[in-house]
Amino acid sequence: MADYRLHTIFYILTSLLSLAVLHWTVHKVLLSISRSKFKKANNCQPIPKYPNKDPIFGYDYWHALNKAAESRTLLSWLREQYRLYGNTYYARLQTANVISTCDPENLKAMHSTKFKDFAIDSRRKFAFLPLLGAHSVLLANGAAWEHKRAMLKPSFSRSQYTNLPLFERHVGHLIEAVRVENTKKGQVDLAEFFLCLTVDITSELMYGTSIELLTNGNKDLVRDMTQSAEGGHARWLLVFLANIIGNSTFSKSVSKVRNFMKRFVDEAISYRQHSESRSISAKPTARNFEGQQGTEPLDVKGRVIYLQQLSLGTRDRKAILDELTTILFAGRDTTAALLTNLFFVLAHRSDIYDKLRAEISVLDGERPTFEQLKGFNYLQSCLNEALRLYPVIPINTRMAVVDTTLPVGGGPKGQSPIFVSAGTNIAFHVTALHRRKDLWGEDAEDFLPERWEKIQGQGAWMYQPFGGGPRNCPGQHLSLAEAAYTVLRIVQEFSMITGRDSEPWTELIALTCTNANGAKVTLTEA
Ligand code: HEM
Ligand SMILES: *[C@@H]1O[C@H](CO)[C@@H](O)[C@H](O)[C@H]1NC(C)=O
């Protein structure tokens, strides 16, 4: 009897297993048939492959990538791979399928024409979740992202980035602090000061109150923010190993930063209570976002403050904390990196510095209007060129959420579409794109602001410092105005800068990429 029962159970189990295998096989065969049809219909051609020695775990590619990252040569290593395998190629990396690309057509498809087929990948989420939090706009997808994006929009209006007196106050603090250090030590690393300046400006614009790092000297916060960003990048490189290894420096700095931010969450909550008691029923909706007056929370100067905007959208403290932390990092590392990279160049190129001084001399030492600032073409070209040669976000990723295609990279010449299966990661490399000689000319490696006199307004997808499409950088105008104003004021105050560093530009990749050696200079008073 017992024997018979066992037999039946065994029989049922093996039948179920066979059914499952059959089901899986049929599924795979059908998928493969429908995929070949799809490939054929879309004229997809094979993509060049990185010669993985380990085609299952992709350990070799990962190892090579990490070795390059450790020696701070990741950007040039990546460019070398493109030279070897083509501008779009496939590799296996830590059990993931990765397509790497520096083709403008592919960026356009991913960011714009096929926007819905691609999402923020789990690797970015894993790396930056502890710091930015699950509610961060930088990690969100789908409807959640759309909502967050709509909440951001009014805080990036023209009235924010044309507010030159606000910039002046903080840049004034920067110039004072830099002057003191320059006099005391005979030289100064501008990088540290830029990281404070951008925090002070971003917090005033986005929270309504400035953190004032340039005057209160909260060095701990500066360090903790830097370690948080760098530790995030370390997680991005390690992926699941990061959980096994752990990182107490990173964890401690993240919790200190997020603790510091809680005062702004309190402020948001009390703003909400305050507005409720005045019965302002301002629920932010997509309808009133095009700068129309009405239900948005406005401060006295007619600006929309992100902190207030957020507080009216949610009561969730964690959500507010995540979003406020995200915007501070997005506004800090980026513009600071741009300024550091540009001043690193200026420190060694007095010809460019002199030309800048000549251009703005029409101001006769006075403060510019916003229109004047925008009208200084050489100044704007210097910023464009710094972002071209040293893009602040040189490596970025997406993931295909459905089976789809990218327009180029297939076939012998790399000019045919390629098939991209759901779940494939796409890595795109902006430094490689910005230094392609076939796109930019033989002088692609040179810092040449004059090139922008010819190419203004053209080739949007071959110049991608701010991304493109619906998910482009909302802070673009703000950061360019902020950076232009800062450069202009430093150039007004100092007649000459001298580089104090003979090292070449060296990558330091965290949330963004900047010169590892900063911008060490000696300044001469005008
Ligand atoms: C030189 C300065 C800057 C550069 C080069 C830059 C670059 C970028 C890029 C490339 C993206 C797209 C990321 C992606 O698609 O994966 C982005 C997104 C973003 N940036 Fe910037 N950024 C800069 C300054 C700023 C500033 C000053 C702020 C705010 C104060 C800011 C806020 C954001 C936000 C919130 C996003 C996320 C947008 C979204 O996912 O919808 N950025 N930025
Ligand atoms: C740990 O985090 C720090 C910054 O907080 C970073 O510099 C370091 O590379 C990380 N180490 C590892 C092993 O991830």
Side-chain angles (χ1 to χ4, degrees):
M1 189 64 179
D3 237 28
Y4 173 72
R5 247 192 232 155
L6 255 180
H7 189 84
T8 316
I9 291 171
F10 181 75
Y11 177 76
I12 293 175
L13 279 180
T14 44
S15 307
L16 280 178
L17 192 66
S18 323
L19 263 177
V21 170
L22 186 71
H23 181 261
W24 184 82
T25 314
V26 170
H27 173 77
K28 280 285 164 195
V29 170
L30 287 179
L31 186 66
S32 140
I33 292 172
S34 76
R35 278 183 173 169
S36 0
K37 272 194 198 150
F38 182 83
K39 286 180 202 171
K40 212 164 179 185
N42 289 286
N43 190 27
C44 295
Q45 300 293 322
I47 179 174
K49 287 192 168 62
Y50 177 82
N52 272 112
K53 287 193 201 82
D54 165 8
I56 298 169
F57 299 108
Y59 176 76
D60 54 339
Y61 187 69
W62 181 73
H63 184 71
L65 208 131
N66 274 270
K67 231 176 74 189
E70 255 166 45
S71 60
R72 299 203 192 285
T73 53
L74 181 56
L75 298 181
S76 58
W77 183 82
L78 287 164
R79 290 174 58 214
E80 177 66 9
Q81 308 314 299
Y82 285 118
R83 204 184 57 75
L84 291 171
Y85 308 114
N87 291 329
T88 298
Y89 69 93
Y90 165 91
R92 187 83 172 164
L93 168 69
Q94 264 205 0
T95 73
N97 296 320
V98 179
I99 291 175
S100 295
T101 189
C102 63
D103 266 318
E105 286 302 304
N106 287 344
L107 289 187
K108 181 179 176 186
M110 218 167 19
H111 285 323
S112 175
T113 48
K114 293 191 167 202
F115 177 71
K116 287 223 148 54
D117 292 358
F118 297 91
I120 300 303
D121 55 288
S122 47
R123 189 168 182 173
R124 184 198 285 188
K125 283 187 203 154
F126 171 82
F128 292 104
L129 195 81
L131 174 61
L132 304 178
H135 297 277
S136 168
V137 63
L138 281 169
L139 306 181
N141 278 321
W145 167 75
E146 260 170 55
H147 176 72
K148 289 171 194 304
R149 180 81 188 196
M151 294 285 280
L152 271 171
K153 195 175 172 192
S155 313
F156 286 96
S157 63
R158 201 183 143 82
S159 57
Q160 291 278 62
Y161 62 78
T162 56
N163 193 341
L164 300 192
L166 188 151
F167 292 158
E168 173 59 31
R169 201 167 71 75
H170 298 293
V171 175
H173 293 157
L174 175 116
I175 287 169
E176 254 169 67
V178 161
R179 192 168 264 149
V180 168
E181 177 109 345
N182 189 55
T183 312
K184 205 168 72 188
K185 297 192 179 153
Q187 69 175 62
V188 47
D189 185 356
L190 294 172
E192 300 162 22
F193 294 91
F194 292 146
L195 282 167
C196 297
L197 174 75
T198 50
V199 165
D200 290 355
I201 291 179
T202 307
S203 52
E204 177 152 4
L205 286 171
M206 297 294 149
Y207 305 167
T209 335
S210 176
I211 294 176
E212 306 276 10
L213 284 178
L214 282 168
T215 48
N216 72 16
N218 189 346
K219 286 251 161 51
D220 286 354
L221 184 65
V222 177
R223 189 203 54 219
D224 290 332
M225 288 189 82
T226 298
Q227 286 179 351
S228 299
E230 287 179 13
H233 179 66
R235 285 173 67 81
W236 187 82
L237 285 168
L238 287 168
V239 200
F240 60 85
L241 283 177
N243 276 345
I244 301 167
I245 299 172
N247 190 336
S248 62
T249 315
F250 172 67
S251 310
K252 273 189 211 140
S253 49
V254 166
S255 74
K256 281 197 235 153
V257 168
R258 289 182 64 97
N259 259 330
F260 176 86
M261 298 298 295
K262 284 184 179 148
R263 71 196 62 186
F264 295 109
V265 179
D266 293 339
E267 221 166 275
I269 300 290
S270 78
Y271 176 82
R272 184 187 177 111
Q273 284 160 352
H274 191 62
S275 353
E276 277 170 350
S277 68
R278 286 181 318 190
S279 75
I280 297 173
S281 60
K283 280 273 177 294
T285 60
R287 263 177 297 120
N288 56 27
F289 275 163
E290 286 305 337
Q292 292 162 22
Q293 300 286 317
T295 53
E296 303 107 284
L298 300 173
D299 82 351
V300 278
K301 294 166 216 129
R303 296 192 283 123
V304 178
I305 306 289
Y306 185 50
L307 176 144
Q308 300 172 0
Q309 181 83 357
L310 275 176
S311 75
L312 300 177
T314 179
R315 289 169 194 276
D316 183 346
R317 289 185 65 93
K318 168 86 168 60
I320 297 174
L321 179 60
D322 290 356
E323 299 277 39
L324 290 179
T325 308
T326 296
I327 206 70
L328 192 60
F329 276 94
R332 173 186 110 125
D333 294 51
T334 47
T335 312
L338 163 58
L339 285 165
T340 297
N341 293 331
L342 177 55
F343 273 93
F344 174 79
V345 173
L346 294 179
H348 300 279
R349 291 287 303 272
S350 56
D351 57 322
I352 301 176
Y353 196 80
D354 293 345
K355 209 165 161 184
L356 277 172
R357 269 184 74 76
E359 180 176 55
I360 64 166
S361 66
V362 295
L363 291 175
D364 219 4
E366 296 295 315
R367 307 291 167 266
T369 63
F370 183 75
E371 278 62 37
Q372 284 172 315
L373 187 66
K374 276 282 150 199
F376 290 131
N377 288 332
Y378 191 70
L379 172 59
Q380 302 294 337
S381 295
C382 284
L383 293 172
N384 288 344
E385 188 67 348
L387 284 169
R388 184 187 67 82
L389 217 45
Y390 307 110
V392 158
I393 303 186
I395 303 174
N396 205 340
T397 51
R398 288 290 193 272
M399 191 186 78
V401 287
V402 291
D403 278 0
T404 182
T405 64
L406 284 173
V408 295
K413 294 219 173 78
Q415 290 306 313
S416 302
I418 50 170
F419 174 68
V420 181
S421 62
T424 301
N425 289 300
I426 317 290
F428 52 103
H429 299 114
V430 181
T431 313
L433 170 71
H434 285 180
R435 294 188 185 199
R436 271 179 60 172
K437 294 205 164 114
D438 58 332
L439 299 175
W440 293 92
E442 280 306 309
D443 55 10
E445 305 264 345
D446 303 341
F447 191 96
L448 191 68
E450 287 77 8
R451 80 172 76 241
W452 291 95
E453 290 160 16
K454 285 170 255 155
I455 48 181
Q456 232 145 28
Q458 293 164 16
W461 295 99
M462 68 183 225
Y463 182 62
Q464 281 287 293
F466 293 102
R471 210 161 178 157
N472 70 353
C473 176
Q476 175 169 352
H477 295 299
L478 167 59
S479 69
L480 287 176
E482 182 183 343
Y485 193 83
T486 307
V487 174
L488 181 142
R489 290 288 295 115
I490 293 178
V491 171
Q492 274 186 327
E493 295 290 319
F494 302 99
S495 62
M496 195 170 90
I497 67 173
T498 317
R500 285 288 168 238
D501 179 1
S502 54
E503 295 288 310
W505 187 91
T506 308
E507 70 190 35
L508 172 63
I509 308 180
L511 261 180
T512 57
C513 180
T514 187
N515 181 24
N517 302 313
K520 299 193 186 77
V521 301
T522 296
L523 298 155
T524 308
E525 295 286 340

